[in-house]
Amino acid sequence: MANKIPLLIARAKRLYEFCVTGVWSATRNTMGVRIVKTLNLSVTAFLDRGLQMKSAALTYSSVLALVPAIAMLLAIARGFGFQEIISNSLYEYFPAQHKALETAMGFVDSYLKEAANGVFVGIGLVMLLWTLISLLSTVEEAFNNIWDIKKDRTIYQKITDYIAICLLVPILMVCSSGVSIFMSTLVQNNLALHLLTPLLNVLLEAIPLVLAWLAFTLSYFLIPNTKVEFKYAAISGAVCAIAFQILQLLFVNGQIYVSKYNAIYGSFAFLPLLLVWMQLSWLILLFGCVLTYSMQNIFAFNFLGDVTTVSSDYRRKIVIVVTAIIFQRFIKGLPPLTRNDLSTIYDIPIRMVGDITYSLHEAGLIYYVVTAGDEQAYAPAVEAKELTAGEVFRRIGRLGQQDFIPRFSTIYRKADTLVDGFNSVAWDSADKVLVADIPLPSPQDIKEINRAAYTAPAAKEDTEDVKKQ
């Protein structure tokens, strides 16, 4: 037994190294590799993208939008005749904080009253919608950052989409409350349904979970400014809905224990717990977005290390390769590729593909085009057979502000001229190479290279360790 301990430690160490870094060299589409990659990417993205700070920022925005959001909710509920139902639901969620909720309801009534009086009706409505739109815009920005999307929706799209969301969510909540009341009344008035009461009770209890799953799923499917596959959004939505319901249960039960601190903090005893609950809720939402991103793009991540640490020289090589792929496919009459296709087929990190194609678009070298599947792809914006590597380097190098320091060229004239000379020599050499003539491997060649690397002795050893575990 003692002799086996070092062997077990060595295997555990190899397994850990495989799960952390070696898994990215595995090209087989097996369930085990897919799960390890998804968990690896989710944890890495969760830690690297500052989701804690984003959730804190969203919590702050939520506090600002809290009164307008409740006002919008109650205003629509009042129109349906369900204001009392919504109010009672809030009191049920926060059983120990009736005084705080009464104060909040007073703020809401004052808000609606001022918004409905005279000249303030227009200003009040605009401010209410603007507060909610700002919150949703912050959420979209966080989602786009997770998906590495550089292009946001237009102002018109934001206004129309966000207003639709602001109006739809309260209506769904009111309708869900109405369904619950309708089912309860139907059971009470129909003796034949009494036998099904336990099943109906289970269904009624499941309604909040189903609505949470639907809300999370639609958020992950609709909010990012890119094409998201619904099945991945639905899986992430289910995971986050369960986590959210557990958090909700803990929060509601926690209200009872908070009541003992009311003698010290008064009605403010509710506030710290509310802020913690809001931040954890936003954290769950953001993590679900990371999980969706990870599952959809898992095989676009066959690389080692952090792409942000890539040197300028190495990145320049990848810029030329990505440009050559886009232009040569156009010359051959092949359909344009999306970001995910470029990454998967040509084995380039998807984050790097997104960053480089954004730079190429800003430099005026490529267009964004829409494919038959309503996805964003890339096509040349200049004459495909005349573009040189030197012109690519020049245009990419000019991105950003050129005259940042006033009188820099005058003060440092000699150094400025010397560096320009270095660049011109490099670009003159690159001007002799057409992007259309740069040799590229075929997708089949890339697969063969990856397969050969995967079947190497070291890769076999790691795979056997995973199978044994």
Side-chain angles (χ1 to χ4, degrees), residues 5-76:
I5 292 178
L7 181 60
L8 291 174
I9 293 175
R11 286 183 175 178
K13 184 177 179 181
R14 284 200 300 270
L15 179 63
Y16 173 77
E17 291 175 351
F18 176 80
C19 291
V20 173
T21 57
V23 69
W24 300 116
S25 300
T27 57
R28 293 194 309 170
N29 190 358
T30 62
M31 181 61 68
V33 171
R34 196 176 186 91
I35 290 174
V36 173
K37 283 187 174 183
T38 301
L39 293 176
N40 184 314
L41 187 59
S42 297
V43 172
T44 303
F46 186 83
L47 296 176
D48 289 349
R49 295 168 188 271
L51 295 191
Q52 297 283 350
M53 295 184 64
K54 287 186 177 68
S55 63
L58 287 168
T59 301
Y60 173 77
S61 300
S62 301
V63 172
L64 294 179
L66 188 60
V67 172
I70 296 177
M72 173 76 77
L73 180 64
L74 292 180
I76 295 177

Side-chain angles (χ1 to χ4, degrees), residues 242-257:
I242 294 172
F244 180 75
Q245 289 301 312
I246 294 173
L247 177 64
Q248 189 87 334
L249 182 64
L250 294 174
F251 180 65
V252 171
N253 291 334
Q255 299 300 302
I256 300 172
Y257 298 100

Side-chain angles (χ1 to χ4, degrees), residues 188-253:
Q188 292 174 1
N189 296 334
N190 194 330
L191 296 177
L193 293 178
H194 276 292
L195 296 175
L196 300 177
T197 300
L199 177 60
L200 291 175
N201 287 336
V202 172
L203 293 176
L204 290 176
E205 291 292 332
I207 287 177
L209 179 62
V210 173
L211 288 175
W213 170 74
L214 183 63
F216 280 113
T217 300
L218 292 178
S219 297
Y220 302 141
F221 183 67
L222 298 175
I223 293 180
N225 193 27
T226 186
K227 186 177 180 60
V228 180
E229 293 191 30
F230 186 80
K231 60 181 179 180
Y232 298 128
I235 294 172
S236 299
V239 172
C240 293
I242 294 172
F244 180 75
Q245 289 301 312
I246 294 173
L247 177 64
Q248 189 87 334
L249 182 64
L250 294 174
F251 180 65
V252 171
N253 291 334

Side-chain angles (χ1 to χ4, degrees), residues 392-410:
V392 175
F393 293 147
R394 263 189 293 272
R395 293 208 187 190
I396 294 292
R398 292 186 192 128
L399 290 178
Q401 189 172 344
Q402 293 292 319
D403 300 321
F404 184 76
I405 302 176
R407 300 174 299 280
F408 178 87
S409 299
T410 303

Side-chain angles (χ1 to χ4, degrees), residues 186-437:
L186 186 64
V187 170
Q188 292 174 1
N189 296 334
N190 194 330
L191 296 177
L193 293 178
H194 276 292
L195 296 175
L196 300 177
T197 300
L199 177 60
L200 291 175
N201 287 336
V202 172
L203 293 176
L204 290 176
E205 291 292 332
I207 287 177
L209 179 62
V210 173
L211 288 175
W213 170 74
L214 183 63
F216 280 113
T217 300
L218 292 178
S219 297
Y220 302 141
F221 183 67
L222 298 175
I223 293 180
N225 193 27
T226 186
K227 186 177 180 60
V228 180
E229 293 191 30
F230 186 80
K231 60 181 179 180
Y232 298 128
I235 294 172
S236 299
V239 172
C240 293
I242 294 172
F244 180 75
Q245 289 301 312
I246 294 173
L247 177 64
Q248 189 87 334
L249 182 64
L250 294 174
F251 180 65
V252 171
N253 291 334
Q255 299 300 302
I256 300 172
Y257 298 100
V258 171
S259 61
K260 67 178 67 175
Y261 297 105
N262 282 354
I264 301 174
Y265 294 103
S267 60
F268 287 101
F270 166 76
L271 187 58
L273 190 59
L274 175 64
L275 294 177
V276 171
W277 173 77
M278 292 179 88
Q279 181 162 355
L280 290 176
S281 299
W282 284 119
L283 203 56
I284 290 173
L285 179 73
L286 295 176
F287 178 74
C289 184
V290 170
L291 188 60
T292 307
Y293 173 71
S294 302
M295 288 190 292
Q296 180 165 324
N297 298 297
I298 198 64
F299 280 93
F301 284 86
N302 293 325
F303 62 93
L304 300 175
D306 185 356
V307 296
T308 60
T309 62
V310 171
S311 67
S312 298
D313 288 340
Y314 193 78
R315 185 180 185 278
R316 191 178 296 119
K317 296 175 185 177
I318 302 174
V319 167
I320 287 299
V321 168
V322 171
T323 308
I325 292 170
I326 295 172
F327 277 66
Q328 289 183 23
R329 288 184 64 87
F330 179 81
I331 292 172
K332 294 176 182 177
L334 298 174
L337 294 179
T338 64
R339 183 181 66 155
N340 190 68
D341 291 337
L342 262 172
S343 175
T344 305
I345 296 174
Y346 291 95
D347 206 31
I348 303 172
I350 192 168
R351 291 181 63 187
M352 189 167 284
V353 170
D355 183 56
I356 289 173
T357 50
Y358 178 78
S359 298
L360 293 173
H361 178 264
E362 290 296 301
L365 294 173
I366 64 171
Y367 285 129
Y368 292 139
V369 296
V370 179
T371 65
D374 199 28
E375 294 184 88
Q376 181 178 277
Y378 312 106
V382 298
E383 178 55 48
K385 294 183 179 180
E386 296 180 1
L387 180 67
T388 65
E391 181 64 14
V392 175
F393 293 147
R394 263 189 293 272
R395 293 208 187 190
I396 294 292
R398 292 186 192 128
L399 290 178
Q401 189 172 344
Q402 293 292 319
D403 300 321
F404 184 76
I405 302 176
R407 300 174 299 280
F408 178 87
S409 299
T410 303
I411 298 172
Y412 302 101
R413 180 173 53 83
K414 293 183 178 180
D416 187 54
T417 304
L418 184 64
V419 173
D420 281 343
F422 293 155
N423 290 340
S424 64
V425 171
W427 301 163
D428 287 345
S429 300
D431 276 333
K432 299 176 183 178
V433 180
L434 291 173
V435 169
D437 295 334

